[in-house]
Amino acid sequence: MIDVIFWWLHRSFTLRYFPFKIDPSTFMNAFDHAWLIAFIDTQLIEVSLGFLTIALLLRFQLLKLRPQWIKTCLILLAASTITHPPLWYLLPKLCRHLGIGYQGYLILGETLVVLIEGLWYAFMFSFFRHQYVKAFFFSLLLNTTSALIGIYLL
């Protein structure tokens, strides 16, 4: 995905304005490149699925308040932005230090992400206000789908 973005940037802008090529290996290592791809994929999946879920809840009149769509987009983007970098950069070091294997890392990481993002949604979305179970299920839906699609893409 990120390679397509770099290709598009190169074709659209660099040929006109810059005499050199954009090469991601000059400013990031392979791990950071993999994180960036996973981060963009996570944002695309979770934001689009979040919009779809909220639209379906509105359609079937399961939500009483109509959300502001720009605010909704920013809240969905912020949730992954808050949790994704620590999941990739801090939690693996902690799990290695505690002797937790890769499967334990995945389970612990996704559980923490669901809990943190569920709290985020409960506090930020007016239609989930003080309805923590619904917010956690919403977070579980988004993160499970994102994780399964991410595993499939690997």
Side-chain angles (χ1 to χ4, degrees):
M1 176 71 182
I2 194 70
D3 296 327
V4 172
I5 293 171
F6 279 119
W7 175 83
W8 180 81
L9 284 172
H10 174 70
R11 294 288 295 151
S12 299
F13 299 106
T14 52
L15 292 179
R16 280 186 232 141
Y17 304 112
F18 302 109
F20 54 88
K21 292 174 71 173
I22 295 176
D23 183 15
S25 65
T26 59
F27 58 88
M28 66 175 57
N29 60 27
F31 186 75
D32 293 337
H33 189 255
W35 173 80
L36 186 60
I37 291 169
F39 180 70
I40 291 171
D41 287 344
T42 300
Q43 293 287 19
L44 290 172
I45 293 165
E46 290 187 10
V47 170
S48 59
L49 184 62
F51 269 114
L52 179 65
T53 304
I54 292 169
L56 287 173
L57 290 173
L58 283 171
R59 172 71 176 100
F60 294 111
Q61 299 175 350
L62 297 173
L63 290 181
K64 294 179 177 42
L65 298 173
R66 297 193 66 78
Q68 298 171 344
W69 292 108
I70 294 175
K71 183 180 175 185
T72 300
C73 181
L74 293 175
I75 290 170
L76 290 168
L77 285 169
S80 294
T81 304
I82 291 168
T83 57
H84 203 272
L87 178 68
W88 270 68
Y89 289 104
L90 298 178
L91 195 61
K93 292 177 184 176
L94 179 66
C95 287
R96 251 191 319 271
H97 179 71
L98 296 174
I100 299 173
Y102 183 70
Q103 292 171 337
Y105 158 73
L106 287 178
I107 293 169
L108 177 64
E110 288 301 321
T111 303
L112 289 173
V113 166
V114 166
L115 291 175
I116 292 168
E117 288 184 10
L119 285 173
W120 173 258
Y121 296 141
F123 288 122
M124 297 305 290
F125 282 134
S126 58
F127 47 84
F128 284 144
R129 187 91 46 202
H130 305 297
Q131 297 178 353
Y132 298 106
V133 174
K134 288 182 182 179
F136 287 124
F137 276 116
F138 183 71
S139 176
L140 182 67
L141 171 72
L142 297 183
N143 286 291
T144 303
T145 306
S146 176
L148 290 175
I149 292 173
I151 290 169
Y152 176 75
L153 291 177
L154 288 176

